[in-house]
Amino acid sequence: MQTPELWIRGLGVYLPETRVSVETAVAEGLTTAEEAAVHDMAGAAVAGELPAPEMALRSAREAYGQAGADPDDTRVLLYTDIWHQGPDVWFPQYHLQHHLVRGDVIAGELRQGCNALFTAMELTEPHLRGAPESATALLVAADNFSTPNVDRWRSGAFVMGDGACAVLLGRAPGLARVLSVGSMVVPELEELHRAGEPEFPPAATTGTALDLRARGRALSEKGEEDPEVDLAWFTLQQKMMLLVGRTLAEAGVGFGDIARATFSNLGPGAVEHRWMDVLKLPMEKSTWSHGRTIGHIGAADPFIGLRHLLDEGGVRPGDHVVLGGLGSGVTLSCAVVRIADAPPGS
C-alpha cells in the first residue's frame, strides 16, 4: 500500500535499565551454553514488576514530546501486544487514553503478533488521509515477559526481552516518511503456534507454561507425515519475496537504494535467511548487533531498531530503511521509510 502522506513524527522507546546477560543466565542455570548457541543472543532487557502498559505510556509520552505534538490531536490509538498485559477483561489501551490521549478517539488492542505495528499502520492510514496536519495516530507495542508461565530463556528459540515502543504517525513532516507498507499471510501455518496443545480450555486459564519450541517440534513431527507442511514453509518464503518486491515497488525504491534494515529479533538465521538474503544485504546492514543484546520484544523490535539507527547515526538524511516482521498466522509485513532531510530539532 502506498502511503504518500504518512510520516513517523515521533518514535518513543522504553527499555528497562536492567540487562541480564546470557553468561549470567547460564551461570544461574536458567539456560545452557548449548541452548544459547542456537540463537546467539547476548542477553535480555528485563523489566521486573513494571507493567507493560506503564512502559507503553512512557514511550508514548516521549513520542509526543519528540514530535512537539498535542495528544488532543490524536485521531486513533492502537495498542499491540503478544503477552498478557494486566487483569483479565481489562484492556491496556485505555490506560494510555486515561493518562495521556483522553477524549473519544478510537482506541483498540491488536493481538496480531510480532508484526502488529505494521497492521496498525495499515489500519490508521485512512483515518489520517486528508486530515489536518496536526492530526496524529498513536501506535504502541509493549510486553513484559517477567511472569510465572514464561521462561524468557527457554520458551522459544530466542530470548524474550521486555520493553515498549510508541510510533506517532501524522501528515506533518517528522523523523521519517513512510513510503509504503503491506502484509501477506500464509494461513496454512497457523498451526505452528498451537501444534501439540489443546485449543480449549485456553492455556492462560489453566496455568500452562508457554513452550513455543515444543509446538514447533510438534508441527515438524506432523510434517514427516504430511507434505503440505513443507509446502507451507516454501509458500512462506515465496510470499516474503513477493511482499518485499511489491513494497519496494510501491515505494519507488530499488534493492540498491536500501541503506539499512531492521526486523524482529528472532535469531541470526531468521534475520539473515528470511529477510537479508531477500534484500541482497549483508547482516551488518541489519540491527541484529543491537537486537541480540535486548532480546525479542514482541511487536516493538523493528521500530526499536529504527530508533537505534537514528540515535547512533546509523542512517543519514535521505536513506531508505526497510522494516519487517513475522507474526502468528503466519503473517508477514514490510514497510519502507525514508529518513527526513531535516529531522525535527535539527
Side-chain angles (χ1 to χ4, degrees):
M1 179 175 72
Q2 291 181 316
T3 52
E5 295 185 327
L6 194 63
W7 287 79
I8 297 176
R9 294 189 56 190
L11 188 56
V13 168
Y14 180 84
L15 291 174
E17 293 183 3
T18 299
R19 307 291 170 86
V20 179
S21 69
V22 165
E23 289 80 7
T24 297
V26 171
E28 295 180 357
L30 301 174
T31 187
T32 66
E34 292 74 19
E35 289 172 323
V38 172
H39 53 66
D40 194 33
M41 286 186 166
V46 178
E49 296 183 355
L50 183 64
E54 179 59 29
M55 292 192 284
L57 179 60
R58 296 182 187 186
S59 68
R61 284 175 172 152
E62 183 180 44
Y64 281 105
Q66 190 179 64
D70 188 340
D72 288 342
D73 291 324
T74 307
R75 295 290 185 92
V76 183
L77 162 60
L78 292 179
Y79 190 112
T80 74
D81 52 68
I82 67 171
W83 194 237
H84 306 289
Q85 298 292 298
D88 292 334
V89 302
W90 172 82
F91 301 98
Q93 66 270 24
Y94 298 117
H95 182 68
L96 276 69
Q97 197 160 13
H98 176 195
H99 294 286
L100 181 61
V101 175
R102 302 185 182 278
D104 296 316
V105 304
I106 299 170
E109 180 185 13
L110 289 181
R111 304 211 67 192
Q112 176 70 18
C114 300
N115 63 329
L117 281 175
F118 298 96
T119 302
M121 292 173 74
E122 294 184 74
L123 290 174
T124 56
E125 192 274 341
H127 291 276
L128 295 173
R129 194 184 307 149
E133 280 204 345
S134 60
T136 57
L138 175 63
L139 318 180
V140 298
D143 276 297
N144 183 343
F145 296 104
S146 305
T147 61
N149 292 332
V150 173
D151 182 341
R152 72 172 70 249
W153 305 102
R154 286 173 163 155
S155 286
F158 43 80
V159 172
M160 295 180 176
D162 306 329
C165 180
V167 184
L168 191 67
L169 298 177
R171 293 181 56 236
L175 299 171
R177 186 172 180 177
V178 183
L179 301 178
S180 60
V181 60
S183 299
M184 285 187 173
V185 61
V186 184
E188 300 89 337
L189 283 174
E190 59 84 19
E191 192 174 354
L192 172 64
H193 291 87
R194 66 172 174 86
E197 289 198 10
E199 295 179 50
F200 191 87
T205 66
T206 63
T208 302
L210 176 68
D211 192 343
L212 296 175
R213 294 192 299 182
R215 298 181 198 178
R217 288 193 297 269
L219 186 63
S220 294
E221 291 171 2
K222 180 181 179 181
E224 295 175 1
E225 307 278 336
D226 184 358
E228 293 297 318
V229 174
D230 286 338
L231 179 60
W233 284 111
F234 175 79
T235 301
L236 175 65
Q237 192 65 24
Q238 183 181 49
K239 284 200 171 184
M240 180 169 290
M241 297 172 68
L242 290 171
L243 175 64
V244 168
R246 186 186 75 187
T247 308
L248 288 174
E250 290 173 342
V253 172
F255 284 97
D257 299 320
I258 304 167
R260 299 297 297 265
T262 175
F263 307 108
S264 302
N265 302 328
L266 296 177
V271 173
E272 184 171 15
H273 301 309
R274 289 180 180 171
W275 290 108
M276 300 303 284
D277 285 352
V278 174
L279 290 169
K280 305 173 185 178
L281 289 175
M283 276 292 282
E284 55 264 29
K285 294 294 184 179
S286 74
T287 55
W288 166 245
S289 60
H290 175 251
R292 68 187 295 266
T293 68
I294 59 176
H296 176 35
I297 306 177
D301 287 346
F303 293 87
I304 290 177
L306 178 60
R307 171 63 184 271
H308 175 73
L309 290 176
L310 291 166
D311 288 346
E312 300 299 317
V315 286
R316 298 177 295 178
D319 278 349
H320 294 96
V321 181
V322 174
L323 299 88
L326 271 74
S328 304
V330 166
T331 57
L332 51 152
S333 298
C334 184
V336 179
V337 306
R338 183 170 61 232
I339 304 304
D341 292 331
S346 63

